[in-house]
Amino acid sequence: MDEETETPAAQMEKYVRIQEKGDVNVRQKPNTESKRLGRAKAGEDYKWLSTAFNGWYEIQLDEDTTGYVPHKVTTLIEK
């Protein structure tokens, strides 16, 4: 007997969409004084990994890099 499986909504992945008009610095730690690891492009979505105590989002910038962006310039979405 075959069973159909459904993917629950709870298993949807979260992404961070950059809302700025320009690119946003991605930082090593969740603050503006931390080392800059790269730039997240405006209008792009990045996989959300966690939320820091101060509201910054940890994202997957590329295959090898994770870092933080401020929540004030982003929107958290589910796909």
Side-chain angles (χ1 to χ4, degrees):
M1 186 178 214
D2 292 332
E3 291 182 26
E4 288 186 38
T5 55
E6 293 182 36
T7 304
Q11 290 185 357
M12 294 179 72
E13 291 187 333
K14 292 183 180 180
Y15 289 83
V16 173
R17 179 169 293 154
I18 306 302
Q19 296 295 332
E20 284 289 284
K21 294 180 193 232
D23 298 347
V24 173
N25 288 328
V26 178
R27 302 285 182 171
Q28 186 173 30
K29 296 180 182 177
N31 62 61
T32 57
E33 291 79 34
S34 181
K35 178 182 176 184
R36 187 176 74 114
L37 301 175
R39 305 272 295 165
K41 296 180 186 251
E44 295 290 320
D45 295 343
Y46 296 88
K47 186 172 181 181
W48 171 90
L49 301 174
S50 68
T51 301
F53 69 94
N54 60 359
W56 284 53
Y57 294 134
E58 181 182 16
I59 63 168
Q60 185 77 43
L61 181 61
D62 59 40
E63 188 175 308
D64 300 319
T65 308
T66 64
Y68 293 88
V69 293
H71 72 281
K72 293 178 182 179
V73 297
T74 65
T75 300
L76 191 60
I77 60 174
E78 289 186 355
K79 291 186 181 182

